[in-house]
Amino acid sequence: MTWEPGVTHPFRAAQSETVIGRGDACWQRAASEVLRWGVKTRSGFAVASPHDVMPGERLTITARLGPFVVREPVEVVAVIRQPDRVGFSYRALPGHPVRGEEAFVVHRHADAVLLSIRSLTAPAARGPWRPAYPLLRVAQVIARRRYRRALR
């Protein structure tokens, strides 16, 4: 899917693709990990029940920032299980620090195994997180960097 200019408003779109390794062993490991929340848990987040992702499942992801605990309620929107492409997307639920969606897809290109990360983000509609949105954008950049290293 390609985001057209203006279609994402008021959301900020971000996407990246990273080679995480090569070969069948890397593919098997990364495909299994991404479908069990590994991209999140290996990036420093805690997932309430890190079993296989399931469409429609609602759960809470937790981030710790020093003495602060940030709870992120989410709902899994879609799960992809194809021979050379696996992953999932989730959307933020009320109470999440931001509005939007995020997707993590592991796929093959020849011998390379890649991780694609896509997100649409906007300030929370209301609540205490709304004024913190500029700081949350910085935190997202740091989290995306960790995601890109998580499955290597």
Side-chain angles (χ1 to χ4, degrees):
M1 179 174 118
T2 302
W3 290 312
E4 298 298 325
V7 170
T8 61
H9 181 76
F11 295 92
R12 287 182 178 246
Q15 58 186 22
S16 66
E17 187 171 87
T18 304
V19 175
I20 56 174
R22 299 194 174 281
D24 288 336
C26 177
W27 164 253
Q28 293 297 328
R29 181 188 50 75
S32 175
E33 282 292 319
V34 77
L35 291 174
R36 294 187 60 80
W37 295 96
V39 72
K40 294 294 283 188
T41 59
R42 290 173 174 243
S43 298
F45 293 85
V47 176
S49 57
H51 55 273
D52 283 358
V53 294
M54 296 182 301
E57 180 178 28
R58 291 178 172 218
L59 51 90
T60 300
I61 298 169
T62 306
R64 293 195 178 275
L65 305 168
F68 303 103
V69 176
V70 179
R71 287 177 179 76
E72 303 177 345
V74 300
E75 178 180 18
V76 177
V77 176
V79 178
I80 302 164
R81 286 186 175 93
Q82 298 173 351
D84 289 328
R85 185 177 176 85
V86 299
F88 68 98
S89 64
Y90 64 80
R91 69 180 179 97
L93 295 173
H96 195 289
V98 298
R99 288 183 298 149
E101 290 192 11
E102 198 160 40
F104 304 95
V105 178
V106 174
H107 54 102
R108 294 185 192 209
H109 181 72
D111 191 42
V113 180
L114 301 102
L115 172 65
S116 293
I117 304 166
R118 301 181 68 175
S119 65
L120 293 172
T121 307
R126 59 177 103 51
W129 290 111
R130 188 168 178 81
Y133 183 67
L135 294 174
L136 294 171
R137 295 270 306 129
V138 172
Q140 284 181 323
V141 169
I142 294 166
R144 283 189 200 108
R145 205 174 298 144
R146 289 180 180 177
Y147 297 155
R148 288 190 292 271
R149 293 190 304 249
L151 299 181
R152 289 185 179 179

